[in-house]
Amino acid sequence: MLKNKIGGLYPEPVEGLRTWVEISESAVKNNFKEFRKFVSPKTKIMSVVKSNAYGHGLVEFSNIVAKCGVDWLGVDSIVEGLALRKAGIKKPMLVLGFILPSRLKEASENGISITVSSFDGLNTVLEESGRFAKPVRMHLKVDSGMHRQGFLPEQVAEVVKKLVSNKKVIVEGVYTHFAAAKNPSFPNDTRAQISEFSKAIEILRGANINPIVHAGATSGSLVFPEAQFDMVRVGIGMYGLWPSVEVMRAFERKINLKPVLSWKTIIGEVKTLPDGGGVGYDFTEKLKPGSKVAVCPIGYWHGYRRSFSSIGNVLVRGKRAKVMGRVAMDMIVIDVTDISGVKMLDEVVLLGKQGGDVISADEMAAVSGTINYEITTTINPLIRRVIVR
């Protein structure tokens, strides 16, 4: 049984773990309520939990958000969908990514909806669906300008012709994805996509096909309320993170998001180096005489990026400690010279709050030249996710 003594200024580590990820249930509930208030009451909310729930733990996060009352869950693959079904989650579910033909039957049997975005995919579904006891539920993906997945709007009429005579598939939804909705100051590209997508919707409705219509992800649902349609797909926002600085500046006073994830490790060893010297591989950084360093059992295998070498920071006893030298596969060295009382097994915060300071996913992204999505998503999925209230 895991014991995590949450509370106090510097909580004790999770028993038996050298590194772990904490998921705040209260933050998830807050974020869902904020989007539920912001989005039209008639609009459903899909929580996008693909890619291990953006690193937050597929089953752990999905269980929380399902209990909050989210309408749909969005996964990347049938593998993720089946994992959620096995965990007892019964919410409507859409596979947003490509599904192998050999796994269509599993989707049908488990009530997991699939994305169909090409004629090859459509023809395969139409051919295979007659062999299944249950219908295949599909959402058609329309390429309104991003040019990844999707039928071009002018191809939708041909799609309709293929669907008319088939009774073993259910066109449950139609959707698109915006390429440039993250900057409210430049709306024209997204409005052009909305216009193209609307053409496809009209063709479907003209053929008496009336699916769930969805387009906006986190930024799209906030910046373009006209694109909320029947459902929005909230990904990064449900985790309490902003999709871009521009969206944050425009909406942080209107919607109160709380980061859900904290990532922690421990001090494994502390030493004082009277003569200073080089540290880590290739001695890329030099220590001053009398430096005190600590070693933490975390590295790039765990998802703590090598790009944090010599520039990253962690929190120890409420203070910042700089990463010294190279981030190794399973270890980092941090400078604790100016932090008193540091000892073996002290909690170290890699991402999150400790004392009065915070290391955010956005800060980590800026330091390492990436985006907050990648910071959380690439945390090793084998690391235990612990739910905190």
Side-chain angles (χ1 to χ4, degrees):
M1 185 76 177
L2 289 175
K3 294 180 181 178
N4 191 16
K5 298 180 181 178
I6 302 298
L9 191 58
Y10 313 121
E12 295 184 16
V14 173
E15 184 179 327
L17 298 178
R18 302 191 309 173
T19 183
W20 66 98
V21 170
E22 292 178 0
I23 303 301
S24 169
E25 184 174 9
S26 63
V28 179
K29 290 178 178 178
N30 170 82
N31 298 336
F32 173 74
K33 288 179 181 177
E34 288 294 299
F35 276 98
R36 186 64 280 173
K37 288 188 295 184
F38 196 90
V39 173
S40 166
K42 297 179 180 179
T43 301
K44 299 178 185 295
I45 294 179
M46 173 188 290
S47 180
V48 180
V49 297
K50 66 179 182 175
S51 304
N52 199 33
Y54 289 40
H56 292 64
L58 176 67
V59 173
E60 295 89 344
F61 183 87
S62 297
N63 266 319
I64 297 171
V65 80
K67 291 175 184 176
C68 288
V70 75
D71 301 290
W72 279 73
L73 296 173
V75 297
D76 173 65
S77 66
I78 186 65
V79 174
E80 290 183 334
L82 292 174
L84 294 181
R85 287 288 186 254
K86 185 177 180 180
I89 296 175
K90 298 179 180 179
K91 288 285 183 180
M93 202 175 299
L94 173 63
V95 173
L96 298 162
F98 175 72
I99 183 169
L100 292 166
S102 60
R103 310 208 71 167
L104 287 170
K105 186 177 181 181
E106 291 173 285
S108 169
E109 290 174 342
N110 289 277
I112 298 172
S113 305
I114 65 167
T115 292
V116 175
S117 56
S118 70
F119 283 110
D120 285 340
L122 178 61
N123 291 336
T124 300
V125 171
L126 296 178
E127 291 168 7
E128 296 291 326
S129 60
R131 305 174 189 175
F132 306 153
K134 296 181 179 180
V136 175
R137 310 178 79 88
M138 68 168 69
H139 288 226
L140 298 173
K141 182 78 174 283
V142 175
D143 179 0
S144 59
M146 190 171 183
H147 298 337
R148 292 195 314 189
Q149 291 172 304
F151 297 99
L152 297 172
E154 57 266 28
Q155 294 175 321
V156 174
E158 182 62 27
V159 172
V160 168
K161 290 180 183 178
K162 289 179 174 290
L163 292 170
V164 168
S165 60
N166 191 291
K167 306 299 180 183
K168 295 294 289 185
V169 299
I170 296 174
V171 183
E172 187 176 49
V174 60
Y175 73 106
T176 194
H177 193 59
F178 298 140
K182 295 179 182 179
N183 192 338
S185 298
F186 298 96
N188 291 344
D189 287 335
T190 300
R191 286 179 177 150
Q193 283 194 254
I194 294 171
S195 177
E196 288 297 299
F197 182 47
S198 297
K199 296 175 184 177
I201 297 169
E202 290 176 8
I203 293 170
L204 291 169
R205 288 177 175 166
N208 292 318
I209 299 173
N210 295 291
I212 299 168
V213 178
H214 48 113
T218 297
S219 53
S221 64
L222 295 175
V223 181
F224 300 93
E226 69 271 30
Q228 290 181 2
F229 294 109
D230 302 319
M231 183 162 68
V232 293
R233 304 184 304 272
V234 182
I236 198 77
M238 202 68 77
Y239 305 103
L241 302 176
W242 293 98
S244 68
V245 173
E246 293 83 3
V247 173
M248 179 187 71
R249 289 173 178 166
F251 290 92
E252 62 184 339
R253 294 183 181 180
K254 301 176 183 178
I255 181 168
N256 178 30
L257 300 183
K258 295 183 178 180
V260 170
L261 182 149
S262 298
W263 185 13
K264 301 180 179 182
T265 185
I266 58 172
I267 298 289
E269 179 179 335
V270 183
K271 64 173 66 176
T272 299
L273 301 166
D275 298 325
V279 59
Y281 286 116
D282 301 318
F283 301 136
T284 56
E285 194 163 0
K286 301 295 183 181
L287 298 166
K288 296 178 181 179
S291 292
K292 183 171 64 173
V293 299
V295 182
C296 301
I298 193 87
Y300 56 78
W301 181 85
H302 301 87
Y304 194 76
R305 305 167 72 87
R306 197 166 181 267
S307 54
F308 293 133
S309 298
S310 296
I311 57 174
N313 283 275
V314 302
L315 298 176
V316 183
R317 294 187 166 262
K319 295 184 178 180
R320 290 193 169 228
K322 181 175 175 289
V323 175
M324 302 298 290
R326 293 256 171 89
V327 173
M329 189 179 294
D330 300 289
M331 279 183 269
I332 59 172
V333 176
I334 59 175
D335 184 358
V336 294
T337 304
D338 298 324
I339 306 175
S340 62
V342 177
K343 64 184 186 302
M344 186 178 74
L345 300 185
D346 275 356
E347 179 189 271
V348 177
V349 172
L350 305 167
L351 168 56
K353 295 181 180 180
Q354 192 186 69
D357 206 347
V358 179
I359 293 177
S360 68
D362 292 297
E363 176 187 334
M364 294 173 76
V367 166
S368 59
T370 185
I371 55 176
N372 54 12
Y373 296 73
E374 190 172 11
I375 293 297
T376 62
T377 303
T378 55
I379 298 173
N380 194 313
L382 297 179
I383 294 173
R384 186 76 61 87
R385 270 64 176 171
V386 179
I387 306 300
V388 298
R389 306 302 172 197

